[in-house]
């Protein structure tokens, strides 16, 4: 190769390298998350990578359709506290099952509620009871990717409890909360989009054991 060709090759290589560096510096690695996320603030869309949520979750706790005969109407949410599953009844003996985190020892509860309201990227104001137990907590955290409420919340009637997202997917499958039901952000967004305000929510007690073939479904 003569000197002219060497100089030409070097110039081309320099140009390509400069182009790559310039493109890398100017482009956000999270730009693909902005697609179809018009309702989110830019900082939230770029900081939340939904594909990361499932990486720390056991296979049985990942969202899937399962057999689940029950007398409850389609659209009902059933929280199986001892097994850390949440079921969305689909009808026809099927349900969409999600893995959840539940209340730690002494903070589990049971009963029948309804979805009172829904919120995207909710703010978090710890209730007075929580502040009393944990005085170091902030009094208010604005909604966003660093908020412990995660991407979505469904508030349960007559209580301080919520079904909400979490930015700590490794806690799914555990007894970790002060009574709220946690889901990975991918799953809580999916559930949020399927559930209407007014939906029935059945929270089973920690002592509950579901018997296959029970004539009353979950009871």
């Amino acid at each position: 190769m003569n000197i002219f060709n060497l100089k030409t090759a070097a110039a081309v290589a320099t140009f390509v390298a400069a182009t790559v560096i310039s493109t890398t510096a100017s482009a956000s690695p999270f730009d693909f998350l902005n697609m179809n996320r018009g309702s989110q603030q830019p900082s939230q869309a770029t900081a939340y990578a939904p594909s990361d949520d499932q990486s720390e979750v056991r296979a049985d706790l990942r969202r899937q359709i399962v057999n689940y005969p029950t007398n409850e109407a389609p659209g009902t949410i059933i929280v199986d506290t001892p097994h850390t599953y949440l079921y969305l009844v689909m009808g026809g003996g099927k349900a969409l099952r999600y893995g959840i985190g539940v209340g730690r020892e002494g903070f589990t509860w049971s009963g029948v509620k309804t979805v009172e309201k829904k919120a995207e990227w909710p703010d978090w104001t710890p209730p007075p009871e929580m502040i009393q137990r944990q005085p170091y907590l902030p009094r208010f955290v604005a909604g966003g990717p660093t908020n412990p409420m995660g991407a979505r919340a469904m508030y349960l009637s007559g209580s301080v409890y919520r079904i909400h997202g979490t930015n700590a997917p490794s806690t799914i499958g555990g007894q970790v909360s002060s009574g709220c039901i946690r889901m990975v952000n991918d799953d809580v967004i999916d559930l949020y989009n399927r559930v209407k305000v007014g939906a029935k929510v059945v929270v089973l007690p920690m002592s509950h054991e579901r018997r296959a073939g029970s004539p009353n479904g979950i009871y």
Side-chain angles (χ1 to χ4, degrees):
M1 182 179 292
N2 59 38
I3 294 176
F4 175 80
N5 287 339
L6 285 172
K7 288 182 178 180
T8 301
V12 170
T14 301
F15 174 78
V16 170
T19 302
V20 169
I21 292 170
S22 174
T23 302
T24 303
S26 63
S28 165
F30 299 105
D31 277 349
F32 70 96
L33 297 172
N34 290 323
M35 296 186 294
N36 302 320
R37 292 185 178 272
S39 63
Q40 298 179 12
Q41 297 175 14
S43 62
Q44 294 165 346
T46 56
Y48 164 51
S51 59
D52 293 340
D53 264 349
Q54 301 289 339
S55 61
E56 298 179 60
V57 178
R58 293 194 327 252
D60 65 297
L61 296 171
R62 295 174 187 168
R63 183 169 71 242
Q64 55 193 287
I65 294 174
V66 297
N67 294 322
Y68 196 78
T70 177
N71 291 337
E72 296 293 347
T76 301
I77 293 172
I78 300 170
V79 176
D80 185 344
T81 307
H83 300 105
T84 63
Y85 293 137
L86 182 151
Y87 295 90
L88 176 63
V89 178
M90 301 173 68
K94 300 287 185 180
L96 189 54
R97 189 180 76 188
Y98 308 81
I100 55 174
V102 299
R104 60 186 181 273
E105 187 174 356
F107 288 87
T108 58
W109 58 281
S110 61
V112 178
K113 303 290 184 183
T114 58
V115 174
E116 190 171 66
K117 68 174 183 175
K118 300 163 59 178
E120 299 186 18
W121 296 104
D123 297 332
W124 180 48
T125 303
E129 306 96 303
M130 187 178 289
I131 293 292
Q132 187 173 6
R133 292 191 305 268
Q134 300 166 281
Y136 54 83
L137 290 174
R139 274 37 179 183
F140 174 82
V141 181
T146 60
N147 189 306
M149 292 279 285
R152 303 287 187 274
M154 285 151 276
Y155 296 76
L156 303 183
S157 60
S159 75
V160 296
Y161 302 123
R162 293 147 290 197
I163 299 170
H164 65 79
T166 180
N167 299 311
S170 61
T171 63
I172 299 303
Q175 292 181 251
V176 290
S177 75
S178 294
C180 286
I181 309 303
R182 294 185 185 183
M183 307 176 73
V184 293
N185 280 323
D186 268 359
D187 284 353
V188 81
I189 290 172
D190 184 82
L191 182 66
Y192 180 99
N193 290 336
R194 296 173 186 272
V195 169
K196 297 179 179 179
V197 171
K200 183 179 180 181
V201 180
V202 180
V203 179
L204 303 178
M206 197 64 185
S207 59
H208 173 80
E209 288 293 336
R210 186 173 191 273
R211 296 185 299 278
S214 167
N216 293 316
I218 65 168
Y219 301 112

